Amino acid sequence: MKLAKPHLDLGLFTADLAPQLAFWGETAGLRFDHALELRPGWVQHRHDAHGSVIKVNHYTDPLPALPPSGYAMLSIVREGPVWEGRHPGGDRVRLVPRGTDGLVGIGITVETPEPARMMDFYLRAMEFDEAGPHAARCGDTLLFVEKGRGGALTPSFIAPNFRYLTVQIFDADRACADIVARGGRLAQAPVSFGSVARYGFVADPDGNWIEISARTSLTGIAPPPER
C-alpha cells in the first residue's frame, strides 16, 4: 500500500467534550491542531501525536449504544515516567519512553479472539509490514494484536470511545477496491468530503472500522465532486 503519510490516525467519539480535551491536551500532552466540522452536530478536534492524529469527535446527538470496538489501548511516546490509565471514556492509554516495545510514535493494541486471522488480514489485505509474531507496522505506527474479546460487526463507526483507524493513501477508490480484492470487507464506499478528502471504510475480520483516506493536503490531489 502506497502511503501518503507514514503514520496511522485513531478516532474516538464522545458526547462530553471538555474532559476529553483536558485529557489529550494536559494529561497526554498532545498539541491541539484544529477543529473540523464534519456536519452540524459533529466536530472533530484533531490532536497531533508524532505525526499521527488523535481525532476526538464530539457528537451532540446521543451516541448509539453499540458494542465496543477491538481497539483496546493507545500507546504514545512521551518523555518522562511511564503513565498508564484511561481517557475519560474508559479506553486504556499509556505514555511511554521512545523505544518501549519498539515505539517511535504511537502504537494501537487490537484485541481479537483470533490473533492469527487478524495478523493475516493486516499483513495480506492491508499490506502492512510484519513487526514481530503479534505486531504489524504501518509507516512508523505499530499495531499490537492480542487475544481478547475483540470488536463486533456494527452498522456504523459512530459510537463511544475508540472506533476507527485512518490510513492516509493517494487513491481511496483504488485502495478500497484492492483491499477487498485481497480479502477485506468494504464497510462504506468512498465519498468526497468537499475539497478536503476522498475517503471510504473497510472492516477487519472482527468488524473494526478502518478509514481509507486520500486527504488533499497530503496528496495534492483534490477529490472529485459528489454527483
Side-chain angles (χ1 to χ4, degrees):
M1 183 178 294
K2 186 178 180 181
L3 301 176
K5 184 179 80 168
H7 324 284
L8 288 179
D9 305 329
L10 178 64
L12 66 91
F13 282 85
T14 183
D16 191 6
L17 180 61
Q20 288 284 359
L21 293 182
F23 175 85
W24 296 105
E26 298 170 14
T27 304
L30 301 185
R31 179 183 63 84
F32 173 73
D33 190 85
H34 69 280
L36 176 66
E37 184 178 35
L38 298 177
R39 66 182 186 221
W42 177 2
V43 178
Q44 184 177 97
H45 299 259
R46 298 166 65 87
H47 295 74
D48 178 71
H50 307 286
S52 293
V53 180
I54 308 306
K55 303 176 179 180
V56 180
N57 293 282
H58 181 222
Y59 214 67
T60 56
D61 290 339
L63 287 166
L66 299 179
S69 77
Y71 302 125
M73 184 170 69
L74 171 64
S75 300
I76 305 172
V77 166
R78 185 192 69 171
E79 293 184 6
V82 172
W83 182 92
E84 296 190 21
R86 296 179 183 270
H87 71 63
D91 291 321
R92 289 182 290 152
V93 178
R94 65 174 188 157
L95 310 174
V96 297
R98 182 184 177 93
T100 303
D101 299 327
L103 291 170
V104 298
I106 71 168
I108 299 154
T109 299
V110 184
E111 290 187 350
T112 175
E114 298 185 57
R117 181 180 69 164
M118 189 66 78
M119 280 294 297
D120 179 70
F121 168 79
Y122 282 120
L123 299 181
R124 183 173 52 82
M126 295 299 297
E127 294 189 328
F128 291 177
D129 297 320
E130 187 171 3
H134 305 291
R137 178 182 288 106
C138 179
D140 65 10
T141 302
L142 289 176
L143 287 174
F144 304 107
V145 177
E146 294 186 355
K147 190 171 181 63
R149 179 180 60 184
L153 186 64
T154 57
S156 172
F157 65 98
I158 299 173
N161 299 328
F162 293 151
R163 279 290 151 183
Y164 64 101
L165 304 180
T166 300
V167 186
Q168 293 288 351
I169 46 70
F170 286 89
D171 186 330
D173 295 84
R174 180 172 180 177
C176 285
D178 288 348
I179 291 166
V180 170
R182 294 190 294 265
R185 183 177 68 84
L186 185 67
Q188 180 179 304
V191 295
S192 297
F193 177 55
S195 61
V196 176
R198 178 82 173 169
Y199 70 96
F201 285 86
V202 297
D204 73 18
D206 290 351
N208 299 306
W209 290 63
I210 303 169
E211 182 184 20
I212 308 300
S213 171
R215 189 176 177 87
T216 304
S217 61
L218 296 172
T219 66
I221 303 169
E226 287 296 303
R227 294 181 178 179

